[in-house]
Amino acid sequence: MIYAADSHSYLKVKGKPFPSLIDVTIDDLSAGLESGLFTSVDLVNAYVARIMEVNDTLHAVAELNPDALAIAAELDTMRSKGQNLGPLHGVPILIKNNIATNDKMNNTAGSWSLVGAKVGEDSMMAKKLRQAGAIILGKSNLSQWANYRSSNSSNGWSAYGGQVYGAYYPSMDPSGSSSGSGVASALGLALASLGTETSGSIVSPSQKGNLVGIKPTVGLTSRHLVIPISEHQDTVGPMARTVKDAAYILEAIAGYDPKDNYTKAIPHCGKIPDYIGALDVNGLQGARIGIPYNILPTSNSTEMVAYYNAINVMKGAGATIVAANFLNGSASTSSVVLDADFVSNLASYFAELTFNPNNMQGLADMRKFTQTFALEEYPDRDTAIWDEALALGYNNSDSRFWEGLQQNYYAGGEAGLLGAIERNKVDTIILPTSISANRAAIVGAPIVTVPLGFYPNGTSVATTSRGLVTTAPNVPFGLSFLGGKFTEATLIKLAYAFEQKTMVRNKVQPYLVPTTELGDIAEF
């Protein structure tokens, strides 16, 4: 590995100029593969070498797909015969270690209880990636149980995968729960990654990785055979270095799945928009951008200064800035929704396992295993969230659950995000990513986060009780575009235009970068 000051972004493959794997895009890889400059086998070997360079330090990848090279060779053969499955053909992608695959890889949510467990088929997310020609390179580490176990754990820690560290400062908090997905995409350990979000788990690690993260509308992407928290809030989306790459991946994974009835809500009889066609460098021209002044922090912080500068950039690009206050920005929400959903949804996932090595039937079994298996680090890392869920005494079929759900729908609907969008006829509400997640989560609305800035030199270093660095020089932060349900195409257009105007991602490099490049592999 090398320090950022020594890093380069433009190299050569077989004597021809080609971007570094920390900067490369899907279009770059597709063109190089199609021209024969390198193969998908070369790509897998290069990415695996990069993972091996940094994984002992950052723990971003939980396990590699032992079939990745064989799959790459098959896709290379298809290409040589004129068969091309699309822009993702032969491109390696990592997926979070809660998205099931029917292969030799585990799907554990970071728990030893599910090591060796098997499913009878791929999750729809894995299936769609394969259908698009992507190579599932491995499973990225995560905050255990998608950050839904403990009150005193740390972002990025799992019993199975260890502690993920962020890429922009030593011992950096990577945020979570898609922690490894964020770090891997930031460092070019794969072209991009899939994450999952219930509230913040894509957008927050994306901002900490200086990435684009798309948290789709609940129901745009299938959750079948994804280890759940809440059917009302869970969603799966891409974490990539550019808006265009994230759009390519979203287009590949979105769509109806008969095994996830929430996908029946996709508009236009399930037809997925042309997200790549939505990209427009002038997309901010004429857009109505909503600013919810009454819920914004009043501090003059680094993030808020950058946020108001972003408003000026959009105004300069032809957008109309609209005051779009929330009717009740402090409307109360209910924790019952996640707790009761988790009790029901986890049991449903366990019931789908074709091999269940520790006979997990529900949350009570999981808590007992976790509290008695030494590698789960209990009681140092408690089970407080599960204790609360089990203490409810009911699941999501109870009338008390529906009361809590309606409370959330009001807080995020009429009183919150959706009401502000509708009343003010805006295309998006923009917020600092650090305060955006729950505003959309409680009503299943989409978010696209893009890089906004970095903490400057001289910033005081702040740490958590477990020693993870939360604020320091060069730690990134993001800007979120929030929208109404199934408005991803609009959000992508706006986010792309802002990205192209600012190109924030290029301004700071991670503090360490793998040295292996495609030219090191493809030359031989």
Side-chain angles (χ1 to χ4, degrees):
M1 69 189 72
I2 57 176
Y3 287 96
D6 299 318
S7 66
H8 41 247
S9 60
Y10 215 77
L11 307 166
K12 289 186 177 181
V13 177
K14 297 178 180 175
K16 296 184 178 181
F18 196 79
S20 166
L21 290 175
I22 202 170
D23 298 316
V24 78
T25 67
I26 289 173
D27 286 343
D28 294 327
L29 293 184
S30 184
L33 288 165
E34 197 64 19
S35 69
L37 184 61
F38 50 83
T39 66
S40 291
V41 167
D42 293 331
L43 274 179
V44 168
N45 282 323
Y47 281 128
V48 169
R50 290 171 72 84
I51 290 168
M52 294 303 179
E53 283 188 63
V54 300
N55 212 48
D56 284 347
T57 302
L58 301 179
H59 308 119
V61 179
E63 58 184 80
L64 292 168
N65 183 356
D67 297 323
L69 279 172
I71 293 167
E74 291 174 11
L75 290 163
D76 285 335
T77 298
M78 287 179 63
R79 189 184 296 275
S80 70
K81 295 178 178 178
Q83 297 173 271
N84 189 329
L85 297 175
L88 297 184
H89 186 116
V91 172
I93 289 178
L94 288 161
I95 64 175
K96 189 176 178 178
N97 193 15
N98 61 352
I99 302 172
T101 51
N102 184 22
D103 55 16
K104 296 171 186 173
M105 290 188 288
N106 288 290
N107 191 49
T108 69
S111 169
W112 285 96
S113 66
L114 291 178
V115 174
K118 296 295 181 185
V119 292
E121 61 179 327
D122 275 341
S123 63
M124 181 57 76
M125 292 297 89
K127 193 176 298 183
K128 280 183 168 288
L129 283 177
R130 297 191 207 274
Q131 289 170 348
I135 300 164
I136 299 176
L137 185 62
K139 295 289 188 79
S140 56
N141 197 7
L142 74 167
S143 309
Q144 191 181 46
W145 295 105
N147 259 349
Y148 208 71
R149 166 188 153 178
S150 305
S151 65
N152 66 343
S153 190
S154 52
N155 287 322
W157 178 86
S158 73
Y160 182 69
Q163 176 66 59
V164 180
Y165 294 100
Y168 281 82
Y169 198 86
S171 299
M172 177 183 158
D173 188 328
S175 195
S177 64
S178 304
S179 313
S181 293
V183 174
S185 295
L187 290 177
L189 307 186
L191 183 281
S193 305
L194 290 191
T196 67
E197 176 155 334
T198 307
S199 180
S201 289
I202 289 173
V203 298
S204 190
S206 289
Q207 78 160 343
K208 294 296 186 181
N210 194 25
L211 296 171
V212 176
I214 300 179
K215 179 253 178 184
T217 304
V218 171
L220 183 64
T221 53
S222 169
R223 290 84 49 81
H224 181 239
L225 293 180
V226 176
I227 296 175
I229 294 176
S230 166
E231 65 185 79
H232 292 89
Q233 292 189 198
D234 292 350
T235 188
V236 184
M239 302 167 69
R241 291 183 296 275
T242 69
V243 174
K244 188 174 187 181
D245 283 354
Y248 270 130
I249 297 167
L250 181 62
E251 200 161 310
I253 64 174
Y256 172 67
D257 178 4
K259 294 184 178 179
D260 182 348
N261 63 3
Y262 284 69
T263 62
K264 291 179 181 177
I266 297 172
H268 310 299
C269 300
K271 181 176 173 58
I272 301 304
D274 179 2
Y275 296 127
I276 297 301
L279 302 174
D280 180 359
V281 71
N282 297 312
L284 287 163
Q285 180 70 44
R288 289 176 59 82
I289 307 295
I291 312 299
Y293 292 101
N294 66 335
I295 66 164
L296 293 175
T298 57
S299 66
N300 195 32
S301 67
T302 298
E303 281 187 68
M304 290 311 298
V305 169
Y307 174 79
Y308 284 110
N309 286 340
I311 293 172
N312 289 332
V313 168
M314 295 183 203
K315 189 174 181 180
T320 299
I321 307 303
V322 180
N325 287 337
F326 285 17
L327 190 63
N328 183 354
S330 58
S332 60
T333 58
S334 173
S335 63
V336 164
V337 174
L338 299 192
D339 286 344
D341 263 350
F342 190 55
V343 170
S344 296
N345 298 159
L346 185 65
S348 296
Y349 178 81
F350 289 154
E352 297 249 26
L353 296 176
T354 57
F355 180 63
N356 188 343
N358 291 295
N359 195 30
M360 295 292 111
Q361 302 298 316
L363 182 55
D365 294 331
M366 182 58 60
R367 182 173 66 172
K368 182 178 179 180
F369 177 94
T370 300
Q371 293 181 349
T372 56
F373 192 78
L375 293 177
E376 294 289 326
E377 296 192 15
Y378 178 88
D380 179 55
R381 299 175 192 264
D382 62 34
T383 56
I385 293 174
W386 298 353
D387 300 342
E388 177 185 282
L390 289 169
L392 274 181
Y394 59 88
N395 63 20
N396 66 7
S397 64
D398 191 279
S399 62
R400 289 166 290 183
F401 168 83
W402 292 101
E403 292 170 8
L405 185 63
Q406 294 310 309
Q407 185 178 345
N408 284 2
Y409 282 172
Y410 172 75
E414 182 183 350
L417 173 67
L418 300 184
I421 291 171
E422 184 176 346
R423 284 191 306 276
N424 297 285
K425 309 302 180 190
V426 293
D427 297 300
T428 185
I429 297 280
I430 62 167
L431 285 170
T433 296
S434 58
I435 63 169
S436 68
N438 201 51
R439 301 292 182 177
I442 53 178
V443 285
I447 304 175
V448 178
T449 181
V450 297
L452 177 60
F454 307 85
Y455 285 97
N457 292 333
T459 298
S460 297
V461 176
T463 61
T464 70
S465 61
R466 293 188 181 270
L468 296 182
V469 173
T470 55
T471 306
N474 293 336
V475 169
F477 51 86
L479 177 70
S480 282
F481 295 79
L482 296 79
K485 294 182 180 183
F486 300 106
T487 61
E488 283 79 2
T490 296
L491 301 184
I492 286 168
K493 177 179 73 171
L494 300 173
Y496 178 77
F498 180 79
E499 172 197 56
Q500 295 301 303
K501 293 286 184 188
T502 56
M503 300 302 287
V504 171
R505 176 170 175 78
N506 299 336
K507 295 178 181 178
V508 173
Q509 288 288 300
Y511 83 94
L512 59 79
V513 178
T515 56
T516 303
E517 293 290 352
L518 195 47
D520 301 323
I521 306 296
E523 294 291 353
F524 301 100

